[in-house]
Amino acid sequence: MNDTITQPAPTSYQVTASTTSAGRALVSVGSEAITLDTAWASAPSGLPGPAELLAAALAACLLKNVERCGQILPFRYRHAEAVVTAHRQDSPPAFTRFTYELRLDTDEPEHRVDLLHRNLRRYGTVYNTLAATCEVQGSVVAGPPAATPS
């Protein structure tokens, strides 16, 4: 008998963000604080800004659903990495497309990798929210990691 009690997923989420006029903001998320770049018309500071956070949300959604599918399907993998690019336009200001490459270190056959990818697109909350407003496209690259040249 499994003694683990599964908690339902939350249906609302809250963050608190604050800033001064110094071009930096602090957002509190759960027990963590993230410093953000909120400067306007200046060189990038190296801190994440709103665009990077949105791309990071999609990456986190993909990785969270890899974990979820890993348990439900089950799907075996040793490592997963998501690389997400957000494409924007200036007028009107909007994101037009998100592209991603999900890299999996796995020995699963191709048809199982395809099943995982279909599930990521079907059940990802952030994925589906973005896909309802702009193009979201990506690929899964699966297999053992490539050997590093010496």
Side-chain angles (χ1 to χ4, degrees):
M1 181 171 157
N2 187 349
D3 292 333
T4 304
I5 298 173
T6 303
Q7 298 293 325
T11 56
S12 64
Y13 306 84
Q14 184 174 40
V15 301
T16 302
S18 61
T19 188
T20 62
S21 60
R24 287 183 175 219
L26 188 67
V27 63
S28 297
V29 181
S31 63
E32 300 295 320
I34 303 168
T35 304
L36 307 175
D37 182 351
T38 56
W40 182 252
S42 64
S45 68
L47 294 170
E52 290 88 3
L53 288 178
L54 191 55
L58 177 56
C61 178
L62 291 167
L63 294 176
K64 186 167 189 162
N65 280 303
V66 167
E67 177 75 17
R68 175 182 175 272
C69 290
Q71 294 174 15
I72 292 173
L73 289 178
F75 184 92
R76 296 173 317 280
Y77 67 98
R78 290 171 290 279
H79 180 79
E81 175 181 66
V83 178
V84 174
T85 303
H87 304 265
R88 67 178 291 275
Q89 65 185 24
D90 285 331
S91 184
F95 289 100
T96 57
R97 181 169 49 110
F98 286 82
T99 57
Y100 64 88
E101 181 177 273
L102 179 63
R103 301 171 185 159
L104 295 173
D105 176 5
T106 183
D107 297 321
E108 292 280 359
E110 185 177 344
H111 76 277
R112 300 266 299 148
V113 173
D114 291 342
L115 174 62
L116 171 77
H117 196 198
R118 281 194 310 273
N119 278 287
L120 296 178
R121 292 186 302 247
R122 180 176 294 147
Y123 297 111
T125 303
V126 174
Y127 184 102
N128 287 326
T129 300
L130 291 173
T133 61
C134 66
E135 181 182 356
V136 178
Q137 64 181 22
S139 61
V140 176
V141 177
T148 307
S150 348

